[in-house]
Amino acid sequence: MMCMSLLAHGQVAPLEVENAVALIESEMKFYAEPLEHTDLVIEMIPVTGGTFLMGSSETESSRNADEGPAHPVTVDAFWMGKCEITWEQYDVWGENMDIIRRRIFGRTATPRDEGADAVTRPTPPYTDMSFGMGKQKYPAICMTQHAARKYCEWLSAKTGRYYRLPTEAEWEYACRAGTTTAWSFGDDDSLIDDYAWYEDNSDYTYQIVGQKKPNAWGLHDMHGNVAEWVLDQYSADTYSRREKSGTTNPLVIPVTLYPRVVRGGCYDDSAAKLRSAVRTASSSEWKEQDPQIPRSIWYHTDALGVGFRVVRPLNVPPPDEQNDFWNKSDPVQLDPEE
């Protein structure tokens, strides 16, 4: 294991942030990660490691076959974004807002900036990717899993701390927050209005993040608002192929572009589709309105209910493994001119 504070991107020193340093789980605290050259932060919640039953029980109402069998999974400790990444946080990367602000105010690029500027950014969007539902503190949507991975790579270079998408196991572990019920607040769907935006209360549009009650670990919008990318390839039989005795930090590395996994359900889904165990597979239909040939590697114009949040593992992997979490998937995603 390498030193926690150093990264593959130029081995630069991280931004000094109160409570962001921990060597062991008991030292992990809530902290707010600044996006340098802006007034924005990403709030991070500590999640201690543990073992849980991944998937749903055979008696859970509305259960899908791909949610079973429920099986023991152990995950290591990590921090997770308190909320989904918002448009204003996403556009610092996607719209080059940090670079623009440096130029306007005559600020010299730091070594972290130089590393972040070297990370590929998305091509300009060919339409308003918010589709008129709002930007700023609303969740960013319509990005591909590749785009979400590259955001994490950029954020890591930008801050000097290692960020990535959660694995499917980490996401469900954090969503459940120690529960085994259908939702993190229990089995009573009459309570869902307190915790989630979904088809009965969203007016069929996403909402500003963090307005509903958090789960027991302090995470907002794990149920509903927008579904969230995780790192894994989707396969209906993933759980049936795992060891019944348990597995640690599982990850199904993508080898095809479709389907991949999103979790949590979104604002136009039913309450049943927001259950902690529900798995959703991406599809080529998420690009149907993309007019480009070849179609963009950055946008899923028909995935208006898909966003993401970031995690930061306590145990930072060595540089080659860091890169795997950002870039290891097939087929390789390149813009046409690359």
Side-chain angles (χ1 to χ4, degrees):
M1 183 190 308
M2 67 181 298
C3 174
M4 293 182 52
S5 61
L6 297 180
L7 290 168
H9 275 292
Q11 306 292 293
V12 296
L15 271 170
E16 292 186 11
V17 174
E18 184 176 8
N19 294 329
V21 176
L23 297 176
I24 56 176
E25 283 191 3
S26 61
E27 296 176 348
M28 295 172 69
K29 298 177 181 176
F30 166 88
Y31 71 95
E33 182 68 85
L35 298 180
E36 212 168 6
H37 308 302
T38 78
D39 58 358
L40 304 173
V41 298
I42 299 174
E43 295 180 302
M44 300 298 295
I45 301 288
V47 177
T48 56
T51 300
F52 74 112
L53 272 181
M54 188 171 184
S56 59
S57 73
E58 294 181 358
T59 59
E60 185 165 304
S61 178
S62 302
R63 182 186 196 244
N64 302 308
D66 65 354
E67 298 169 22
H71 55 290
V73 169
T74 299
V75 296
D76 294 338
F78 56 91
W79 289 266
M80 177 175 255
K82 178 180 176 181
C83 296
E84 294 147 345
I85 291 294
T86 62
W87 276 115
E88 60 185 2
Q89 295 165 340
Y90 191 73
D91 284 346
V92 178
W93 172 65
E95 300 285 345
N96 299 326
M97 294 307 296
D98 58 335
I99 297 174
I100 292 170
R101 290 176 67 89
R102 286 205 316 265
R103 289 172 179 166
I104 290 174
F105 295 107
R107 294 171 181 163
T108 303
T110 68
R112 288 185 299 275
D113 291 328
E114 292 171 355
D117 292 352
V119 177
T120 305
R121 303 195 189 208
T123 53
Y126 45 83
T127 189
D128 169 20
M129 291 296 169
S130 75
F131 290 87
M133 292 191 289
K135 297 198 78 174
Q136 301 297 310
K137 298 187 184 305
Y138 291 89
I141 58 166
C142 289
M143 75 290 293
T144 59
Q145 188 205 51
H146 171 71
R149 284 171 177 255
K150 298 303 284 188
Y151 179 89
C152 295
E153 182 178 355
W154 166 83
L155 180 63
S156 301
K158 185 76 176 171
T159 64
R161 277 175 281 277
Y162 177 59
Y163 290 92
R164 59 171 170 76
L165 292 180
T167 66
E168 187 173 15
E170 289 169 337
W171 189 97
E172 185 170 325
Y173 177 70
C175 177
R176 289 188 173 282
T179 67
T180 58
T181 47
W183 298 274
S184 61
F185 52 82
D187 289 319
D188 182 359
D189 64 2
S190 70
L191 300 176
I192 199 167
D193 277 350
D194 292 337
Y195 293 89
W197 296 108
Y198 70 116
E199 65 177 4
D200 286 354
N201 66 9
S202 69
D203 199 24
Y204 295 97
T205 181
Y206 58 39
Q207 304 291 329
I208 290 174
V209 302
Q211 297 186 84
K212 293 294 187 181
K213 289 182 179 178
N215 69 13
W217 291 352
L219 299 163
H220 291 262
D221 302 318
M222 295 297 285
H223 304 294
N225 208 17
V226 295
E228 299 172 15
W229 281 114
V230 296
L231 283 167
D232 298 59
Q233 181 89 64
Y234 173 84
S235 175
D237 65 351
T238 295
Y239 296 178
S240 64
R241 289 186 279 111
R242 287 186 180 154
E243 294 292 334
K244 294 180 180 178
S245 59
T247 183
T248 299
N249 297 321
L251 167 63
V252 182
I253 296 171
V255 293
T256 61
L257 192 55
Y258 304 103
R260 300 186 184 185
V261 182
V262 298
R263 298 295 297 261
C266 75
Y267 57 85
D268 65 356
D269 282 332
S270 66
K273 291 184 177 178
L274 272 55
R275 290 177 299 106
S276 301
V278 171
R279 311 173 66 214
T280 301
S282 70
S283 160
S284 61
E285 294 178 353
W286 292 8
K287 281 188 185 296
E288 277 191 349
Q289 295 184 73
D290 185 344
Q292 303 172 112
I293 300 175
R295 287 175 165 168
S296 172
I297 65 173
W298 301 104
Y299 304 105
H300 275 319
T301 320
D302 296 85
L304 276 63
V306 175
F308 69 101
R309 74 179 72 209
V310 300
V311 298
R312 176 189 163 206
L314 173 65
N315 299 322
V316 178
D320 58 333
E321 293 182 22
Q322 291 179 32
N323 188 62
D324 284 351
F325 282 107
W326 296 322
N327 295 306
K328 188 174 183 179
S329 67
D330 287 322
V332 174
Q333 298 291 282
L334 297 174
D335 283 316
E337 64 271 22
E338 292 185 87

